[in-house]
Amino acid sequence: MFAVIKTGGKQYRVAANDVITIEKLEGEAGTAVTFGEVLLFTDGSGATQVGAPLVSGVSVAGEIVKQARGPKVIAFKKRRRQNSRRKRGHRQDLTVVRVTGISAA
């Protein structure tokens, strides 16, 4: 049994007990979260429900494991022969979530 959920503008294929890293969600470690935007759902017998755009009556429950930060990304611009340089860095805030279950009504 698995589902495809949408969160943070991205899509993730999840099953029970999966650990995924997604865009930052508000909450502390141990907080329960629910993902209502389910795009595809497959049950144990192989029957698949594809949403248009969402599957109704299906939700994915999870638990926040920790709040983390991604790797540092350096954006460096240089214009040659003009002594012009710009260096900028960025680290994305991330949330690690453990999927506890998929519920279908």
Side-chain angles (χ1 to χ4, degrees):
M1 174 185 310
F2 71 90
V4 175
I5 62 170
K6 179 180 174 186
T7 180
K10 298 175 181 67
Q11 298 176 6
Y12 301 92
R13 180 189 187 273
V14 297
N17 297 321
D18 280 355
V19 177
I20 58 173
T21 303
I22 60 175
E23 297 285 326
K24 182 175 169 110
L25 295 177
E26 295 299 323
E28 299 295 322
T31 305
V33 293
T34 303
F35 302 102
E37 292 187 344
V38 178
L39 305 173
L40 183 135
F41 171 69
T42 300
D43 60 5
S45 64
T48 302
Q49 298 177 19
V50 179
L54 301 176
V55 178
S56 61
V58 178
S59 64
V60 175
E63 175 186 3
I64 295 177
V65 176
K66 67 177 180 176
Q67 301 287 354
R69 298 191 75 192
K72 183 180 279 190
V73 178
I74 303 295
F76 185 76
K77 296 180 182 179
K78 181 177 182 346
R79 293 172 191 88
R80 62 184 184 159
R81 295 188 296 269
Q82 296 176 19
N83 198 22
S84 173
R85 295 184 294 263
R86 172 181 286 172
K87 181 178 179 181
R88 300 171 66 187
H90 175 75
R91 284 187 76 183
Q92 185 68 37
D93 292 324
L94 303 171
T95 301
V96 179
V97 175
R98 176 178 288 113
V99 177
T100 56
I102 301 171
S103 62

